[in-house]
Amino acid sequence: MQEKLTTLAEAIALVDDGNVVALQNMATQAAPMALVRELIRQEKRELGLVVLVGGMAVDWLAAAGVINRLIGAAVSMEQFGLCQQYRKAVEAGRIRVEELSETLLNARLGAGARNLPFLPSRGAIGSDLIAQNPENLKMLDDPFGGFPVVACRALIPDVALIHAHRADRYGNIQYEPTVLWPDIGIMPKAAKCVIVTAEEIVDTEVMRRHPDRTILPGFMVDALVEVPFGAHPTSFFPNYGYDSRFHREWTDVSRDDEAVSAFLDRHVLTPSTQEEYLDAAGGVATLSRIEKWEKRG
Amino acid sequence: MQEKLTTLAEAIALVDDGNVVALQNMATQAAPMALVRELIRQEKRELGLVVLVGGMAVDWLAAAGVINRLIGAAVSMEQFGLCQQYRKAVEAGRIRVEELSETLLNARLGAGARNLPFLPSRGAIGSDLIAQNPENLKMLDDPFGGFPVVACRALIPDVALIHAHRADRYGNIQYEPTVLWPDIGIMPKAAKCVIVTAEEIVDTEVMRRHPDRTILPGFMVDALVEVPFGAHPTSFFPNYGYDSRFHREWTDVSRDDEAVSAFLDRHVLTPSTQEEYLDAAGGVATLSRIEKWEKRG
Amino acid sequence: MTDWQNSPAAEDYTVDELMIAVLADQFRNGDQCCNGMASFIPVAAFMLARLTHAPDLVWLPSSGGLESRPDRIPASTLEAPLWRDSIMYIEQYSDFWNFVLNGRWIKKFCVGAAQLDQFGNANNSVIGDDYHAPRVRLPGTAGLADMGSIGKKLYYWNPNHSPRSMVEKVDFVSAAGYLNGGDARERLGLQGGPQLVVSNLAVMDFHPTSKRMQLRSTHPDVSIGQVTEATGFELQMPESAVPETRPPTQKQVRLIRETIDPDNMRKREFHRKS
Amino acid sequence: MTDWQNSPAAEDYTVDELMIAVLADQFRNGDQCCNGMASFIPVAAFMLARLTHAPDLVWLPSSGGLESRPDRIPASTLEAPLWRDSIMYIEQYSDFWNFVLNGRWIKKFCVGAAQLDQFGNANNSVIGDDYHAPRVRLPGTAGLADMGSIGKKLYYWNPNHSPRSMVEKVDFVSAAGYLNGGDARERLGLQGGPQLVVSNLAVMDFHPTSKRMQLRSTHPDVSIGQVTEATGFELQMPESAVPETRPPTQKQVRLIRETIDPDNMRKREFHRKS
């Protein structure tokens, strides 16, 4: 098996300006935040982002001017509110949104994964999403005489960014307890290149004890980096909850461009290692807090 | 939650003559054999069988005159050879075969599960399977200008028959260690009615300890019966292997209609309980043999 | 009459509690219901229904576990507390949508929208005319556009009934309601559709043939005039007199406050009133 | 030159061992290969390649686990020994076909067919003219029809080279080969296709433009005449002389007999010869 272990810098060097990048995320959950920060540090530009429900990661990438288009179903930090930097960029026309419903996005990615030109859905029929997007969505008659479907054109991201619980050095990726998040089930299977951070790298023998936990085989994975708490400040069930203090700090500054810049400086640009990042986010006290899964953020 | 626990007789009473019945199976693996025997005992007639790769179950159902059509990708007992009773019935025109490739069958069932009129595949293009089956397979132009696909019409079985490792009385179904067999991933989701046998019925609290093992929620399941060794003589990983002696006994008689009739009498019609069935199949000695996963059948 | 039904009408209750009780009343035992993000009112309604008249109601968050056991409403209606101790993890790409798209399961969806129009079309996408430079970029449709077209019964809640949220025509149809009304849905082969809108002022449903939104009841101490004034289109009136929305019972209020939502998550979306 | 390449040509070997060595030679380090039911020869070839020149060959049974560790070829090439100690269980409906249909992974499929014709079309469905009352009902196409159309390179093995198995035209196209030859595949947008046919008599490939099957090499002690006589169509001849198939090395034979298949599973399909 081929070695896939590398550094954040080398992993993100695989992303080219202009790429379409699929990002694992769900409001406050499971985003590969170390990879997101590295995208900003390497000053990637004009990326298109594919995300089912984007949260703080999208707001950061919008604030840092990394993305200029987004293909997704929603962007929100749920109880922490709208992503203000993203919102402002869209309202200013700096980010172009291809809004898809969940079944349409899943169909586009599913077609990409399975090398099909399209997959059909019956979702979103009658909504304005379809007329808005003639390039990728077309009403199609049922050849068996029933009602029409929406043909959803295959979407093949250039890169998928994923965070996982465990991996071996050959890029076999495990989730604990199993696939839960919406996008992990399909995004990496559709992408041309898969970059993964994992909470821990273990020996292959450890993987073999629980083959049911493996969600991606090594041959699908292009680069792998060990990043403990790599999803902070989003949650990573069952390891740790989202960091509500950090989320509130961000939403407190996120309408103010100068404060945003200082925030990103402090939390994204200055820390040169994951340890330094975690220290800037409150260090051990924060980690022990999020490991307790505070319920009332 | 509603109670789903019942008897084999009442469960199979849900199957009407003429129904399309989806059967979990894979050559020598994981067939719900107790349900298959009950179909024969209740003298069901003119059933259509949906099966990915059918094994001894198909041969028995053919021998007993239960089925008159089959929708599937293959019928074989792998190293134990062809299913002779099935083969004879097809050659005599008593069973009509709609042969599908695996992706075409998966697409038909996937469309059924998702309430879509069809799903596309690029599999089997150029083969005679498509022209042979104009009712359910149609070449369809890619609306985005690429090469055509095969539109695979939704297939909604009336009933799905499944064997599982564990269930609670409300019909929540668990597999150990996870979904492995080809058909369990989609067949029960496409069917109008789902009948399950399980190796053991446990308390719901036991289910909650491993929610990742649950593969069907109770609301999908219509009838449930506890049947230890319910897949015998097929294998049921990791609990027990296939019974190679039993398979060889069947293949030894399966070309001879009289011997077949005696065999079915002894193993299907006479035993009135699972215990009696297992005793007729060699009792404790057989069980301890298959639990050792003999490798050289 | 069971315990909670015998309980007298509450006098001390807030409008969020009333809305929860109205919604809970829509869900029967054995129903299968589903919610999205930030859905404190729907989740409270599901939990209330299960604690009173519908113990077998199946509640499925659109990300999370089946029959999980949060001790109370968590701060997120999609996050990990809704996976804990569940009977089954429902992975979204395959299982969740397999169950939902299949017409037989998960028949009711309870959700909010930034704009609703007179035909129950919903907008969670953009405010303004230019889709690519909108006045306000909203979160996006998420799964709502799907739920609007795949035969589900939709129950909308609106904590801020106003001409801005109840509009003549939505700026963008994020999810199909009755489109232009009449049989427009049927002609596209769409079943289901919006059933009820529960706002902080009133309960509304849809006229059986015109499919225009009509007043069903006004909340206690709210006049019909207040409702029509807060509505950005001509709200249809029923043929008979408009009744008053039944207030929650004392038992229902107690369950909401003490058991279901002691952290007052349900109040979060009520910016202006309540 | 590695150990096994330095090993002298075996003198004591059987044709199944020669076929395994020929097939093993088709698979490179880093290739991803796949097999179906009752595929002892392909599985032995994968295992031999991994033990010699291609340690990183990814081998995926079409039902089973990734990188499982059977101590030897089991009696079934799909059954549970091929799940044990694997790195990942590959569930068939979603994962297996997601990986296979995606053009980037699992590029080679090694399989047998009851009939193969001059253009590499394969039949595992029916013998006879009447599909619904066939002379012989064969097992069925299983995943082969898919593999034939989705860009895979197909490697066929045939333990019984005869006019019955190598036919002018298959009774039923269970899996597309080169159809009517020439650019017939390309016109349907089909990539990949049959690469090699390894029988008990010879090795065949396909002419680059006509796509007719042509002789590549004859096995030791087999004449060209024996091969053409056993072939039910006009086998094309290469422009240069037909070489002899390279026999397995002593090391390869030892690995097959002692390590890979001490139970002689590989002999099961050889009814008439070897």
Side-chain angles (χ1 to χ4, degrees):
Chain A
M1 288 183 285
Q2 283 183 295
E3 177 88 27
K4 301 293 169 67
L5 211 51
T6 180
T7 62
L8 283 173
E10 287 185 18
I12 289 300
L14 296 172
V15 181
D16 291 328
D17 286 354
N19 272 181
V20 173
V21 176
L23 184 75
Q24 172 187 336
N25 196 186
M26 181 80 183
T28 55
Q29 300 175 37
M33 294 301 288
L35 294 171
V36 168
R37 293 195 303 277
E38 187 65 23
L39 287 174
I40 297 172
R41 277 195 295 268
Q42 292 193 18
E43 299 185 358
K44 300 294 177 191
R45 286 297 175 265
E46 304 191 346
L47 299 186
L49 201 66
V50 181
V51 70
L52 189 91
V53 179
M56 194 188 294
V58 176
D59 223 13
W60 284 8
L61 292 168
V66 172
I67 58 174
N68 66 1
R69 56 207 193 280
L70 182 134
I71 303 174
V75 175
S76 161
M77 292 180 291
E78 206 185 352
Q79 71 269 36
F80 303 105
L82 291 178
C83 291
Q84 298 296 345
Q85 287 288 314
Y86 161 76
R87 178 185 154 181
K88 191 191 293 191
V90 175
E91 290 164 9
R94 292 198 307 275
I95 294 177
R96 191 180 170 89
V97 180
E98 177 188 334
E99 187 174 336
L100 295 169
S101 71
E102 294 183 11
T103 72
L104 301 186
L105 179 57
N106 286 343
R108 290 201 63 197
L109 290 168
R114 294 196 159 207
N115 203 16
L116 290 165
F118 71 93
L119 277 173
S121 173
R122 290 274 300 155
I125 291 177
S127 80
D128 285 344
L129 297 172
I130 296 166
Q132 184 63 42
N133 193 356
E135 201 184 328
N136 300 308
L137 304 175
K138 279 193 202 299
M139 294 305 296
L140 180 68
D141 283 336
D142 170 19
F144 302 103
F147 285 105
V149 297
V150 194
C152 307
R153 186 181 205 156
L155 172 59
I156 299 179
D158 295 300
V159 184
L161 306 180
I162 302 298
H163 186 61
H165 295 80
R166 197 184 301 118
D168 69 8
R169 55 197 309 112
Y170 307 109
N172 297 297
I173 307 297
Q174 292 195 333
Y175 264 50
E176 195 65 45
T178 183
V179 169
L180 290 176
W181 294 283
D183 35 20
I184 190 71
I186 192 63
M187 269 188 186
K189 293 170 185 166
K192 285 182 206 159
C193 170
V194 178
I195 300 175
V196 183
T197 53
E199 290 287 320
E200 56 168 353
I201 306 296
V202 299
D203 196 86
T204 303
E205 291 309 307
V206 176
M207 313 289 282
R208 288 187 193 270
R209 272 179 231 145
H210 298 289
D212 56 304
R213 299 326 205 196
T214 307
I215 58 137
L216 297 177
F219 60 74
M220 271 189 55
V221 172
D222 297 274
L224 169 69
V225 191
E226 185 174 39
V227 185
F229 293 95
H232 176 275
T234 60
S235 65
F236 203 59
F237 181 81
N239 296 38
Y240 46 89
Y242 53 84
D243 186 342
S244 54
R245 202 189 64 189
F246 194 100
H247 271 85
R248 276 195 301 267
E249 281 174 18
W250 171 250
T251 53
D252 284 349
V253 304
S254 69
R255 282 173 190 272
D256 174 345
D257 287 354
E258 268 184 46
V260 159
S261 175
F263 187 99
L264 292 182
D265 226 54
R266 180 167 168 224
H267 289 290
V268 178
L269 300 177
T270 304
S272 65
T273 63
Q274 179 71 359
E275 288 69 26
E276 288 177 24
Y277 165 79
L278 293 172
D279 277 338
V284 173
T286 293
L287 303 189
S288 82
R289 180 164 44 82
I290 63 177
E291 282 181 328
K292 284 189 200 115
W293 278 96
E294 4 149 42
K295 286 184 185 167
R296 322 253 159 90
Chain B
M1 286 183 286
Q2 283 182 294
E3 177 88 27
K4 302 294 170 65
L5 211 50
T6 181
T7 61
L8 284 174
E10 286 185 18
I12 288 300
L14 295 172
V15 180
D16 291 329
D17 285 353
N19 272 182
V20 173
V21 176
L23 184 77
Q24 172 187 334
N25 197 187
M26 182 78 182
T28 54
Q29 299 175 38
M33 293 302 288
L35 294 171
V36 168
R37 293 195 303 276
E38 187 65 22
L39 287 173
I40 297 172
R41 276 196 296 268
Q42 291 193 19
E43 298 185 359
K44 300 292 178 192
R45 286 294 175 269
E46 303 192 347
L47 299 187
L49 201 65
V50 181
V51 69
L52 191 91
V53 179
M56 194 189 293
V58 177
D59 223 13
W60 283 9
L61 292 168
V66 172
I67 58 174
N68 66 2
R69 55 208 193 280
L70 183 135
I71 303 174
V75 175
S76 161
M77 293 181 290
E78 207 185 351
Q79 72 269 35
F80 303 104
L82 291 179
C83 291
Q84 297 298 345
Q85 287 289 316
Y86 161 77
R87 178 185 155 181
K88 191 192 292 190
V90 176
E91 291 165 7
R94 291 197 307 274
I95 294 176
R96 190 178 171 90
V97 180
E98 177 188 335
E99 186 174 337
L100 295 169
S101 72
E102 294 183 12
T103 72
L104 301 186
L105 178 58
N106 285 344
R108 291 202 63 196
L109 290 167
R114 295 196 158 208
N115 203 15
L116 290 166
F118 71 93
L119 277 174
S121 173
R122 291 275 298 154
I125 292 177
S127 79
D128 286 344
L129 297 172
I130 297 167
Q132 184 64 41
N133 192 357
E135 200 185 330
N136 299 308
L137 304 175
K138 279 192 201 303
M139 293 306 294
L140 180 67
D141 282 337
D142 171 18
F144 301 103
F147 285 106
V149 297
V150 193
C152 307
R153 186 180 207 158
L155 172 59
I156 300 181
D158 296 299
V159 185
L161 307 180
I162 302 298
H163 186 62
H165 295 80
R166 197 184 300 118
D168 69 7
R169 56 198 305 111
Y170 307 109
N172 296 297
I173 308 296
Q174 293 195 332
Y175 264 51
E176 197 64 43
T178 185
V179 170
L180 290 175
W181 293 283
D183 34 21
I184 190 73
I186 193 62
M187 267 187 188
K189 293 169 185 166
K192 286 183 206 160
C193 169
V194 178
I195 300 175
V196 183
T197 52
E199 291 286 320
E200 55 168 351
I201 306 297
V202 300
D203 197 85
T204 303
E205 291 309 307
V206 177
M207 313 289 282
R208 289 187 191 271
R209 273 178 230 147
H210 298 289
D212 57 302
R213 299 322 204 200
T214 307
I215 58 134
L216 297 177
F219 61 75
M220 270 188 57
V221 172
D222 297 90
L224 170 68
V225 191
E226 184 174 40
V227 185
F229 293 96
H232 176 274
T234 60
S235 65
F236 204 58
F237 181 80
N239 297 38
Y240 45 88
Y242 53 84
D243 186 343
S244 55
R245 202 190 63 189
F246 194 100
H247 271 84
R248 276 195 301 267
E249 280 174 17
W250 171 251
T251 53
D252 284 349
V253 304
S254 69
R255 283 174 188 271
D256 173 345
D257 288 352
E258 266 183 49
V260 159
S261 175
F263 188 99
L264 292 183
D265 225 55
R266 180 168 168 222
H267 290 289
V268 179
L269 301 178
T270 303
S272 65
T273 65
Q274 179 70 0
E275 288 70 28
E276 288 177 23
Y277 164 79
L278 292 173
D279 276 338
V284 173
T286 292
L287 303 189
S288 82
R289 179 163 46 80
I290 63 177
E291 282 180 327
K292 284 191 199 113
W293 279 95
E294 7 152 39
K295 287 184 183 165
R296 321 252 159 87
Chain C
M1 295 273 276
T2 57
D3 174 41
W4 73 274
Q5 286 169 308
N6 277 324
S7 174
E11 296 189 10
D12 166 32
Y13 66 89
T14 51
V15 69
D16 47 283
E17 290 152 357
L18 171 114
M19 289 170 65
I20 290 167
V22 170
L23 284 167
D25 200 37
Q26 303 305 312
F27 308 124
R28 304 268 78 82
N29 206 16
D31 268 358
Q32 293 151 2
C33 305
C34 175
N35 69 275
M37 277 193 290
S39 295
F40 308 109
I41 296 290
V43 167
F46 301 152
M47 290 172 89
L48 182 60
R50 290 166 63 139
L51 287 171
T52 56
H53 63 284
D56 289 342
L57 175 95
V58 173
W59 162 40
L60 193 64
S62 47
S63 159
L66 180 67
E67 310 284 340
S68 69
R69 289 173 172 169
D71 60 340
R72 54 185 70 186
I73 298 188
S76 158
T77 57
L78 292 184
E79 264 276 9
L82 302 184
W83 290 332
R84 291 242 161 126
D85 297 322
S86 69
I87 290 178
M88 176 180 188
Y89 295 137
I90 309 279
E91 186 266 329
Q92 196 257 15
Y93 175 71
S94 56
D95 281 340
F96 178 78
W97 283 112
N98 273 336
F99 299 154
V100 171
L101 290 168
N102 188 305
R104 290 192 290 292
W105 308 306
I106 323 288
K107 293 190 173 166
K108 296 180 175 180
F109 187 54
C110 194
V111 67
Q115 289 184 332
L116 269 181
D117 72 17
Q118 58 180 328
F119 295 115
N121 302 300
N123 180 11
N124 273 339
S125 299
V126 290
I127 305 291
D129 291 339
D130 185 348
Y131 182 81
H132 290 297
R135 198 144 47 73
V136 182
R137 175 67 229 187
L138 298 165
T141 192
L144 177 56
D146 299 309
M147 296 293 182
S149 306
I150 55 174
K152 303 304 161 192
K153 294 184 171 178
L154 300 183
Y155 298 84
Y156 281 99
W157 62 287
N158 177 355
N160 300 299
H161 192 142
S162 81
R164 288 175 54 193
S165 62
M166 302 290 275
V167 300
E168 174 99 21
K169 189 169 171 11
V170 288
D171 291 352
F172 188 89
V173 180
S174 303
Y178 293 102
L179 303 168
N180 300 317
D183 65 349
R185 273 185 79 85
E186 281 80 351
R187 276 184 280 122
L188 286 173
L190 307 183
Q191 301 185 303
Q195 305 296 305
L196 213 67
V197 180
V198 181
S199 81
N200 57 326
L201 300 180
V203 179
M204 285 133 295
D205 56 16
F206 295 86
H207 185 275
T209 54
S210 77
K211 303 297 184 187
R212 285 179 194 274
M213 202 186 294
Q214 65 183 10
L215 192 59
R216 178 188 277 197
S217 68
T218 53
H219 297 346
D221 303 322
V222 177
S223 71
I224 293 180
Q226 276 176 283
V227 179
T228 55
E229 205 162 303
T231 304
F233 55 88
E234 195 189 332
L235 192 60
Q236 305 294 299
M237 290 297 144
E239 298 198 4
S240 46
V242 177
E244 190 170 87
T245 310
R246 191 174 66 187
T249 67
Q250 291 177 10
K251 173 87 192 257
Q252 284 179 310
V253 172
R254 207 159 50 239
L255 284 170
I256 295 169
R257 291 185 188 175
E258 292 170 15
T259 304
I260 296 170
D261 186 26
D263 302 315
N264 292 325
M265 295 295 171
R266 68 192 178 282
K267 310 259 186 212
R268 292 191 164 203
E269 306 290 324
F270 289 79
H271 300 308
R272 293 174 206 93
K273 310 207 176 188
S274 95
Chain D
M1 293 276 276
T2 57
D3 174 40
W4 72 274
Q5 288 169 307
N6 276 324
S7 174
E11 296 189 9
D12 166 31
Y13 66 90
T14 51
V15 70
D16 48 283
E17 290 153 355
L18 171 118
M19 289 170 66
I20 289 167
V22 169
L23 283 167
D25 200 37
Q26 304 304 313
F27 308 124
R28 303 271 77 81
N29 206 16
D31 268 358
Q32 294 150 0
C33 306
C34 177
N35 68 276
M37 277 192 291
S39 295
F40 308 108
I41 296 289
V43 167
F46 300 152
M47 291 172 88
L48 182 60
R50 290 166 65 138
L51 287 172
T52 56
H53 63 283
D56 289 341
L57 175 95
V58 173
W59 160 42
L60 192 65
S62 48
S63 158
L66 180 67
E67 309 285 341
S68 68
R69 288 174 172 167
D71 60 340
R72 55 183 71 185
I73 297 187
S76 157
T77 57
L78 292 184
E79 263 277 9
L82 301 184
W83 291 333
R84 291 242 161 127
D85 296 321
S86 70
I87 291 178
M88 176 179 188
Y89 295 136
I90 309 278
E91 187 266 328
Q92 196 256 15
Y93 175 71
S94 56
D95 281 341
F96 177 77
W97 284 110
N98 273 336
F99 299 153
V100 170
L101 290 168
N102 188 305
R104 292 193 288 293
W105 308 305
I106 323 288
K107 294 189 173 167
K108 297 180 175 180
F109 187 55
C110 194
V111 66
Q115 289 183 333
L116 269 181
D117 72 17
Q118 59 181 325
F119 295 115
N121 301 302
N123 179 11
N124 273 339
S125 299
V126 290
I127 304 292
D129 290 338
D130 184 349
Y131 182 81
H132 289 297
R135 198 143 46 75
V136 183
R137 175 68 229 187
L138 298 166
T141 191
L144 177 56
D146 299 309
M147 296 293 183
S149 307
I150 55 174
K152 303 304 160 192
K153 294 183 172 178
L154 300 182
Y155 299 83
Y156 282 99
W157 62 288
N158 177 354
N160 299 300
H161 193 141
S162 79
R164 287 175 54 192
S165 63
M166 303 291 274
V167 300
E168 174 98 20
K169 189 169 173 5
V170 287
D171 291 351
F172 187 88
V173 180
S174 303
Y178 293 102
L179 303 168
N180 300 317
D183 64 351
R185 273 185 80 86
E186 281 80 351
R187 277 184 280 121
L188 286 173
L190 307 182
Q191 302 185 304
Q195 305 296 305
L196 213 67
V197 180
V198 181
S199 80
N200 57 326
L201 300 180
V203 179
M204 285 132 295
D205 56 15
F206 295 86
H207 185 274
T209 55
S210 77
K211 303 298 185 187
R212 284 178 196 273
M213 201 186 293
Q214 66 184 7
L215 192 60
R216 179 188 276 197
S217 67
T218 52
H219 297 346
D221 302 323
V222 175
S223 70
I224 293 181
Q226 276 176 282
V227 179
T228 54
E229 204 162 305
T231 304
F233 54 87
E234 195 190 333
L235 191 62
Q236 305 294 299
M237 290 295 144
E239 296 198 4
S240 46
V242 177
E244 189 171 89
T245 310
R246 191 175 66 187
T249 67
Q250 289 177 14
K251 174 88 193 254
Q252 284 179 311
V253 172
R254 206 158 52 237
L255 283 170
I256 294 169
R257 292 184 186 176
E258 290 170 16
T259 304
I260 296 171
D261 186 26
D263 303 314
N264 292 325
M265 296 294 171
R266 68 192 180 281
K267 310 255 185 215
R268 292 191 165 204
E269 306 289 324
F270 289 79
H271 299 309
R272 294 177 205 88
K273 310 206 176 190
S274 96

